[in-house]
Amino acid sequence: MTVYWLTSALPVAVTSLLPIVMFPLLDILSTSEVCALYIKESNIVFFGGVVLALGVERSNLHRRIALRVILTFGTNPRWLMLGFMIVSMLLSLWISNSGVTAMLIPIVDAVVDELFQDSKDVELGVNYMASQSGHSPVTVVHEKEPPSERSNGLNSIKRKIKIPFLIAVSYTASIGGTGTLIGSGPPLAFKGILEELYGSETGLSFATWMAIGVPVAFSTTFFAWLWLQLLFMENFKSSQNEESGMRNKNDIKSSIRNQYRELGPITFYEKSIMFLFGLLIVLWVSKDPQFIPGWEDLFPIEHKIGDATVAIAIVLLAFVLPSKPNFWCFTRPGKEPNSSPALLEWSYVQQRFPWSVLLLLGGGYAISDASKVSGLSILLAHHLSALAALPSFAVMFLLCLLASAMTEIASNAAVASILLPIVAQIGEVTNMNPLYLMIPVTFSCCHAFMLPVGTPSNAMVFSAGKMKPAEMIKAGVVMNIISILILCIVMETVGDAVFDLHAPELPFWTDGARHRAIMLRPS
């Protein structure tokens, strides 16, 4: 399956179905056991989060948020880029990375075009002034600069600004996707694999993940902005020259404000989606925050209420509530109440939902369970037990580097499915809390910054900017190192405070892990 995932010999989703055929034939798991792994709670959480995110896209709420933030950051290209990065990162916390990138690319194009005078406008302006002075317009234009050269120079400057903008959007879409459990595939794969290996008493919740994920997202975004400013310093300097054709800042801001005004006042539809999304986040975070009792404790029931229950409850509301207030007291005077489409319609969800990711997650859970049942993960960890001689920080850094390298050429959720069961056993063998290694490796599975094939977001901006591979690789190599260092530092500080990662003994929920670690550790 790893070979097929890395080489795309079969479609990723089709490869993910192989365990249903192979594991029963190889007498590892029964067919019913394998099939049950394809619809776990984590898959339903993913389904609920993505369906509600589709509601945000359909309402155009994300475009309103993007333009509002961009207006806040002014018209200087350096600060505008930071504005785009923050928008991309914040939206990617909740919406698919590729969806956010696809939405922001046309806005980047429009904003960069607004920064500079169009070549046609320049020619027309020169011709107009020439005709007013009584001279031949053609003669005057050629005396100053041929229009074609002016146009080519302007397009070159636009490209120099557009490239760092597009790279920044792609990078922060990947960075933001790790800030919450529903932001991208690897965090959900991690949640499912962790529960498969160790049960539900590990202390992982939506709130504890965000306690680590949000600081990582903001820190990495800030340092990514600094690195891109340094790397593309000459590009930004060239745009500030008088000959660059950059427009007046007030004109630029006025143009972006006009785009925002074209959206009109915020609609009932947008308010409803915003309310449901906000409610979902609040319920997820407050269900079991760990440091204080959550609302889950108000229900003295035997069976635990999971994140999937909350997600589906909100999704059901989205399919029930109307998109227009044409009922009861909301009806305008003189108009009869009538029916209105719901906030979400199944035909739209069915068309836009990434169904293949559900199969990919299920295939990952099947590999994880089979690795545990067959003893493969313990065997692999035993061969890697020499890592115990290294400092824990070095082990974490090396595993993150491995994950980051693999995810450049393979699906990030697939890489997480391959590595996480092995990393968990390495933690046990080296007498480390498995979370100390599994969490940063999960983040690194999303941080593919070097190659266009690393993520769909990279491929989209690579195509939109007509980039050369070297442009993305040069920026991505350093970005990979920066992201890993930030990950390791946050895990040593915030992660240790949240999960007590450096306790002298392995946590109780490892279920005999201490015994296995003693047996496998080299003498």
Side-chain angles (χ1 to χ4, degrees), residues 2 9 12 27 31 54 96 125 175 217 219 227 239 253 256 263 287 292 301 329 364 407 421 462 464 467 481-482 517:
T2 302
V12 170
D27 196 25
T31 300
L54 289 175
S96 72
I175 291 166
S219 302
W227 162 237
S239 70
K253 197 161 189 176
I256 298 173
L263 296 175
K287 183 176 75 72
I292 58 172
I301 54 180
C329 60
T407 200
F462 183 82
M467 300 182 200
I481 301 299
I482 290 173

Side-chain angles (χ1 to χ4, degrees), residues 8 19 40 44 83 227 325 332 351 359 408 450 487 502 514:
S8 298
K40 290 171 63 69
I44 304 301
W227 162 237
R332 291 180 180 179
Q351 182 182 2
L359 295 178
E408 294 288 351
M450 285 175 54
L487 269 173
H502 292 296
R514 186 185 311 161

Side-chain angles (χ1 to χ4, degrees), residues 152-167:
N152 291 338
L154 189 61
N155 288 334
S156 175
I157 294 171
K158 282 184 180 180
R159 186 182 183 277
K160 285 182 178 180
I161 296 298
K162 192 177 291 185
I163 293 297
F165 271 49
L166 291 173
I167 290 177

